[in-house]
């Protein structure tokens, strides 16, 4: 009798379940859309986040002091051939920049901001090759004959040739190296497998040392065993700073926030400040033309090259193209055709905002 009651209860539960599903499906579907939600402006939301009072400041300051006391130990690890990988909760950008500016003053340092949406890695490798070439010249390791062989400009070489150059030439002092400081090596601009392979090959060069930070929970999936232990040769450091990701978060959209033009201006200003003075001047030439000729489709590439050549900002079309590639990678500059079918460059930012960007960059 009890068994029969249990079976009846189970049958009744199953029947009620399917009846409820049928009734639910027969009802009207909601016509509400996510776009109908009245969301706050992104700039207002970011300002509110910036005004949140930070807690435990005293304890955090003490924690940062313990990291700073380890700077010389970190330098020693770099000299021994290791790469430094910093992990832990909180932005490590300020900590790594302080380490570079105080403990690595004897070395050349190249910074990669991996939190940007796109990175021109070849331009980074060209910079490394130029720095190494200058150091070899200073040590008189390049004779006039060997210099003749190296006459091909670095910006015309392939990535493989550039990495081969970094690896085949050795500095006299075994403790000398060029440091590559990578903020967020797991960032969106560096996350693809090809870029990580190139970074690993660069790190494996005898004159290069890498100091990097990671924040993504799945960052370790970027590398295989060879990359971790042989090429990057990571020495891991747990350095939680509990600092907000203010700069890193600037380039990522906030959920349920509308992106405003003011945010685009702020992002463009930060990107410009990270570029070389010559690149900033080239951008300024294009911006001035756009402000002076608001009705035109943009500035023809040939005209931009002629103006920049007159002002000694570029020495060749190749140099200008490298600057333009940098601008396009960061969505600072776009191309469109005018009525005559000519390719013109323009800055996709309102003129009023563009004036503010030029003013901020000139300061």
């Amino acid at each position: 009798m009890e068994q029969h009651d249990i079976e009846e209860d189970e049958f009744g539960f199953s029947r009620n379940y399917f009846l409820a599903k049928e009734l639910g499906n027969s009802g009207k579907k909601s016509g509400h859309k996510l776009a109908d939600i009245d969301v706050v402006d992104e700039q207002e939301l970011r300002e509110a986040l910036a005004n949140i009072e930070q807690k435990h400041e005293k304890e955090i300051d003490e924690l940062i002091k313990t990291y700073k006391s380890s700077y010389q130990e970190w330098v020693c690890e770099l000299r021994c051939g290791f790469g430094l990988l910093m992990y832990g909760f909180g932005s490590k950008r300020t900590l790594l920049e302080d380490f570079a500016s105080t403990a690595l003053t004897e070395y050349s340092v190249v910074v990669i901001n991996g939190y940007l949406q796109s990175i021109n890695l070849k331009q980074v490798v060209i910079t490394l090759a130029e720095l190494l070439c200058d150091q070899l010249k200073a040590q008189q390791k390049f004779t006039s004959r060997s210099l003749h062989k190296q006459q091909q400009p670095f910006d015309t070489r392939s990535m493989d040739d550039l990495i081969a150059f970094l690896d085949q030439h050795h500095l006299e002092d075994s403790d000398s190296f060029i440091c590559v400081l990578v903020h967020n090596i797991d960032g969106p601009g560096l996350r693809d497998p090809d870029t990580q392979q190139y970074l690993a090959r660069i790190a494996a060069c005898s004159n290069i040392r890498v100091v990097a930070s990671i924040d993504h929970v799945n960052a370790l999936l970027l590398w295989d065993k060879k990359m971790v232990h042989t090429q990057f040769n990571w020495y891991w450091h747990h350095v939680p700073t509990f600092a907000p990701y203010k700069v890193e978060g600037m380039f990522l959209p906030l959920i349920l926030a509308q992106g405003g033009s003011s945010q685009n201006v702020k992002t463009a200003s930060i990107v410009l400040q990270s570029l070389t003075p010559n690149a900033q001047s080239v951008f300024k030439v294009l911006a001035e033309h756009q402000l002076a000729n608001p009705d035109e489709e943009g500035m023809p590439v040939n005209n931009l090259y002629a103006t920049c050549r007159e002002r000694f900002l570029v020495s060749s079309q190749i140099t200008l193209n490298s600057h333009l590639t940098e601008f396009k990678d960061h969505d600072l500059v776009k191309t469109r055709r005018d009525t005559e079918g000519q390719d013109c460059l323009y800055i996709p930012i309102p003129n009023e905002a563009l004036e503010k960007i030029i003013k901020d960059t000139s300061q």
Side-chain angles (χ1 to χ4, degrees):
M1 187 69 181
E2 290 181 1
Q3 181 67 27
H4 177 73
D5 291 342
I6 292 172
E7 289 176 356
E8 283 288 334
D9 289 343
E10 287 181 351
F11 175 76
F13 175 79
S14 301
R15 185 171 178 276
N16 291 337
Y17 171 78
F18 286 109
L19 281 172
K21 291 289 287 182
E22 287 177 11
L23 290 171
N25 291 336
S26 63
K28 284 186 177 182
K29 292 184 179 179
S30 172
H32 296 302
K33 300 176 183 177
L34 187 63
D36 296 333
I37 300 175
D38 185 20
V39 294
V40 69
D41 180 73
E42 184 170 354
Q43 184 64 17
E44 290 180 22
L45 184 54
R46 289 187 185 276
E47 287 175 0
L49 289 172
N51 292 329
I52 295 176
E53 185 179 351
Q54 188 174 357
K55 298 180 179 180
H56 311 294
E57 288 187 6
K58 183 179 178 182
E59 291 81 1
I60 291 173
D61 288 342
E62 290 297 321
L63 188 63
I64 299 300
K65 285 179 183 178
T66 63
Y67 300 151
K68 290 184 177 183
S69 66
S70 301
Y71 280 1
Q72 291 308 312
E73 180 185 333
W74 296 355
V75 174
C76 182
E77 290 162 2
L78 291 172
R79 286 175 177 167
C80 290
F82 291 100
L84 304 183
L85 187 64
M86 310 301 185
Y87 69 100
F89 180 77
S91 171
K92 291 158 282 293
R93 183 174 176 272
T94 303
L95 176 67
L96 293 187
E97 289 189 349
D98 182 70
F99 170 60
S101 61
T102 56
L104 297 178
T105 53
E106 299 177 11
Y107 306 94
S108 298
V109 179
V110 176
V111 179
I112 302 176
N113 295 319
Y115 47 78
L116 296 176
Q117 295 300 311
S118 58
I119 308 291
N120 188 344
L121 190 60
K122 185 175 181 181
Q123 192 60 47
V124 173
V125 181
I126 290 170
T127 303
L128 292 172
E130 289 172 345
L131 286 170
L132 178 59
C133 186
D134 290 342
Q135 293 188 26
L136 290 170
K137 286 178 185 177
Q139 294 179 0
Q140 297 182 342
K141 279 203 143 190
F142 270 1
T143 62
S144 58
R145 186 176 178 183
S146 61
L147 275 171
H148 181 71
K149 293 180 182 178
Q150 301 291 337
Q151 276 184 348
Q152 184 185 358
F154 288 120
D155 52 11
T156 62
R157 301 190 195 185
S158 67
M159 282 288 281
D160 291 335
D161 289 342
L162 289 166
I163 293 174
F165 174 82
L166 292 175
D167 198 34
Q168 71 187 21
H169 295 285
H170 303 281
L171 297 170
E172 287 179 356
D173 187 354
S174 59
D175 288 340
S176 295
F177 55 81
I178 299 170
C179 181
V180 181
L181 181 62
V182 190
H183 297 300
N184 297 98
I185 197 170
D186 55 346
L190 301 172
R191 205 173 285 166
D192 63 282
D194 290 341
T195 300
Q196 288 295 326
Q197 286 289 347
Y198 277 128
L199 286 170
R201 290 174 60 191
I202 293 166
C205 296
S206 57
N207 304 302
I208 305 296
R209 300 290 184 275
V210 176
V211 179
S213 65
I214 57 172
D215 284 289
H216 199 283
V217 67
N218 294 323
L220 300 186
L221 298 178
L222 295 172
W223 311 308
D224 56 31
K225 188 175 179 180
K226 177 185 175 183
M227 294 167 74
V228 171
H229 297 295
T230 306
Q231 293 177 304
F232 284 119
N233 196 21
W234 291 130
Y235 200 112
W236 300 69
H237 286 280
H238 184 223
V239 287
T241 63
F242 303 99
Y245 295 93
K246 287 184 179 178
V247 176
E248 298 91 331
M250 189 76 66
F251 303 92
L252 297 173
L254 293 177
I255 298 173
L256 297 182
Q258 294 174 342
S261 61
S262 57
Q263 181 60 29
N264 296 333
V265 171
K266 204 170 198 180
T267 303
S269 297
I270 291 173
V271 171
L272 275 175
Q273 288 167 13
S274 69
L275 301 178
T276 63
N278 268 17
Q280 292 177 13
S281 299
V282 171
F283 183 85
K284 190 175 179 181
V285 170
L286 182 58
E288 288 171 349
H289 179 273
Q290 184 164 313
L291 292 171
N293 304 277
D295 297 327
E296 292 185 7
E297 293 295 324
M299 187 175 190
V301 178
N302 292 338
N303 293 3
L304 177 63
Y305 174 65
T307 305
C308 292
R309 188 74 186 266
E310 286 174 6
R311 300 186 187 182
F312 301 101
L313 299 177
V314 297
S315 56
S316 65
Q317 184 72 46
I318 294 171
T319 308
L320 177 63
N321 288 343
S322 69
H323 291 320
L324 293 177
T325 301
E326 191 84 21
F327 298 152
K328 290 175 182 177
D329 285 346
H330 296 111
D331 292 326
L332 291 176
V333 171
K334 293 187 177 180
T335 308
R336 62 187 171 198
R337 291 184 183 275
D338 61 10
T339 53
E340 298 177 1
Q342 196 173 20
D343 284 336
C344 294
L345 301 165
Y346 73 99
I347 302 168
I349 295 173
N351 286 353
E352 197 174 306
L354 190 55
E355 289 177 356
K356 186 177 185 307
I357 290 173
I358 297 302
K359 184 180 179 181
D360 292 344
T361 308
S362 301
Q363 289 177 351

